[in-house]
Amino acid sequence: MKNNRHLTLRRRLALESFRLKWKIAVEKHELRTLFWESTQRCNVHCLHCGSDCKASTDIPDMPAEDFLKVVDTITPHVDPHKVLIIISGGEPLVRGDLEKVGRELYRREYPWGIVTNGFALTDSRLQSLRRAGLRSIAVSIDGLADTHNWLRGQSLSFEKAMHAIEHISLCPELVWDTITCVNKRNLTQLPQLKEELIKRGVKKWRLFTIFPMGRAAGQPDLQLSHEEYLHLMEFIKDVRSEGRIKASYCCEGFLGNYEGEVRDYFYHCTAGVSTASILIDGSISACGSIRSDFHQGNIYEDDFMTVWNNGFKQYRDRTWMKKDECADCKMWRYCEGNGMHLRDNNGSLLRCNYHELTRK
């Protein structure tokens, strides 16, 4: 294991260079990714769900027309080819009008994709989505069959997700990957899961750790220990060096000397800088993983681009985060308080990735 407490000179110089570029990106805050939380309905019942989604809910799906009206207000201000629209949930495939929305986005020349658990992604549905202009897709695989089904709360989830992956792998025009939420139960399964994914044609594999929000807040056993977290970092490094599948750690937080080694970029939180979300109730937010109330407005009351250009100050100026354990942290200049999704409604930090990797 590396000494992660003190940055190497080479790492520090690279981080300084990136920090200057990132400051420019924050000043420009060009919209590049727009998430649409199209539903809070779901066909599985995940233990770690940040939204606490259910098969049925009192919260109705947002009408497609309402979302498309917002897209039309955005279009004069952006190059549609440079803004990826990602339809999420809940589980977006429970919507019967997904293809209709996709065709309208395609007509407006926006690339669009979905994040799915794969349960309802049959080959016929995939072909229907492709005809509607689907460009990207991410499918969740959270361990081998027993562990995946346990985490997802559905005994057929693993089988159906793997079938979905096999269908996707035959579509060369799609940009796609698999996502794994790593926890105590599936950590030791990762080497075998890697082989299963490679066998099914997976080229890109994103690994997340589960953050304590939503249902996961009541599941402390899902959180990795210090030793397990270090083990995950070393595993990702080893897989990347093999070159058989492109593994990467998510944008969860600053990782010290693991920066540049477990993903292709240095840590930065794009929430409110290049990433925005329209939530199920019309709230204008940033990254869809942010479950705390850092909303910036609502599409039913505010113009989206006005909010985008003049709001999001909590996201673009992170100095308010320099408190509590962040106040005297020597890594503040590179981390700026960790991801916004790891802040509660009071702005307090729920977990520090760097401290978790460096504590004794």
Side-chain angles (χ1 to χ4, degrees):
M1 300 291 182
K2 63 168 70 254
N3 178 352
N4 203 41
R5 187 171 293 275
H6 302 288
L7 296 178
T8 64
L9 177 60
R10 180 180 179 183
R11 192 88 55 203
R12 191 177 292 276
L13 290 173
L15 285 166
E16 287 293 340
S17 175
F18 175 79
R19 191 175 72 88
L20 296 175
K21 293 177 182 178
W22 180 243
K23 287 181 68 175
I24 296 172
V26 172
E27 290 173 5
K28 290 183 175 181
H29 53 264
E30 297 174 332
L31 183 65
R32 288 290 179 258
T33 305
L34 177 63
F35 284 89
W36 178 35
E37 186 184 40
S38 63
T39 182
Q40 282 203 349
R41 293 182 292 138
C42 192
N43 46 16
V44 298
H45 190 78
C46 302
L47 292 176
H48 62 302
C49 181
S51 307
D52 197 19
C53 298
K54 302 174 177 66
S56 61
T57 175
D58 294 333
I59 303 174
D61 294 353
M62 180 183 288
E65 293 75 15
D66 293 359
F67 174 67
L68 291 171
K69 285 179 182 177
V70 177
V71 172
D72 286 338
T73 67
I74 294 172
T75 300
H77 305 279
V78 301
D79 178 352
H81 302 100
K82 295 181 179 180
V83 180
L84 173 63
I85 295 178
I86 301 176
I87 304 175
S88 66
E91 170 51 50
L93 292 179
V94 303
R95 289 189 65 125
D97 62 352
L98 204 55
E99 286 84 350
K100 173 187 174 183
V101 176
R103 284 191 293 272
E104 289 299 319
L105 293 175
Y106 182 78
R107 185 173 67 82
R108 291 163 171 80
E109 300 186 359
Y110 284 91
W112 67 277
I114 62 172
V115 179
T116 176
N117 58 42
F119 191 83
L121 191 63
T122 61
D123 184 48
S124 60
R125 188 75 195 271
L126 176 61
Q127 302 315 318
S128 177
L129 293 167
R130 290 174 68 196
R131 289 192 294 271
L134 179 71
R135 289 282 299 277
S136 69
I137 186 167
V139 181
S140 296
I141 299 289
D142 293 319
L144 300 178
D146 58 339
T147 301
H148 176 94
N149 293 339
W150 162 77
L151 192 65
R152 295 277 159 180
Q154 227 295 342
S155 61
L156 296 177
S157 182
F158 181 82
E159 177 184 350
K160 289 182 176 291
M162 281 299 190
H163 284 163
I165 285 174
E166 291 169 358
H167 295 315
I168 295 168
S169 68
L170 301 176
C171 305
E173 83 282 5
L174 292 180
V175 177
W176 66 283
D177 64 3
T178 56
I179 301 171
T180 297
C181 291
V182 182
N183 56 79
K184 289 180 180 295
R185 189 159 170 171
N186 67 10
L187 181 64
T188 59
Q189 296 180 351
L190 294 181
Q192 191 174 348
L193 179 60
K194 176 192 69 175
E195 298 301 328
E196 291 292 329
L197 295 176
I198 292 173
K199 185 166 62 177
R200 288 170 171 81
V202 177
K203 305 296 184 184
K204 296 180 180 179
W205 185 21
R206 278 184 289 161
L207 296 101
F208 283 68
T209 40
I210 298 173
F211 49 93
M213 296 290 279
R215 286 189 204 131
Q219 301 282 343
D221 289 344
L222 295 179
Q223 312 298 319
L224 298 183
S225 68
H226 166 67
E227 291 77 13
E228 290 168 333
Y229 199 17
L230 286 172
H231 177 84
L232 174 61
M233 294 297 106
E234 292 295 323
F235 171 77
I236 295 174
K237 276 182 57 183
D238 291 344
V239 174
R240 288 171 67 86
S241 66
E242 288 177 358
R244 298 170 60 218
I245 184 173
K246 191 171 184 178
S248 62
Y249 187 58
C250 64
C251 55
E252 182 81 356
F254 180 72
L255 305 173
N257 277 319
Y258 284 109
E259 288 295 325
E261 294 194 343
V262 295
R263 53 194 172 206
D264 294 341
Y265 54 87
F266 291 121
Y267 167 71
H268 56 287
C269 180
T270 65
V273 176
S274 61
T275 299
S277 293
I278 296 174
L279 304 183
I280 190 72
D281 63 352
S283 295
I284 300 171
S285 187
C287 169
S289 294
I290 299 171
R291 307 316 306 181
S292 297
D293 187 6
F294 292 106
H295 306 332
Q296 302 296 298
N298 192 289
I299 63 168
Y300 295 112
E301 300 173 0
D302 305 295
D303 173 69
F304 178 91
M305 286 306 298
T306 298
V307 173
W308 176 254
N309 288 325
N310 301 318
F312 290 91
K313 291 180 173 58
Q314 289 170 298
Y315 295 85
R316 296 168 190 166
D317 180 359
R318 304 288 182 98
T319 53
W320 64 271
M321 290 184 176
K322 197 171 175 58
K323 60 180 182 177
D324 303 326
E325 64 184 288
C326 295
D328 301 315
C329 182
K330 295 179 180 179
M331 298 300 151
W332 167 262
R333 65 191 292 106
Y334 309 125
C335 176
E336 293 192 335
N338 222 343
M340 285 287 288
H341 68 289
L342 291 173
R343 296 277 167 173
D344 64 16
N345 283 337
N346 298 317
S348 298
L349 185 62
L350 296 170
R351 187 181 72 193
C352 174
N353 302 76
Y354 174 72
H355 286 169
E356 187 59 44
L357 287 169
T358 57
R359 69 180 179 83
K360 296 180 180 179

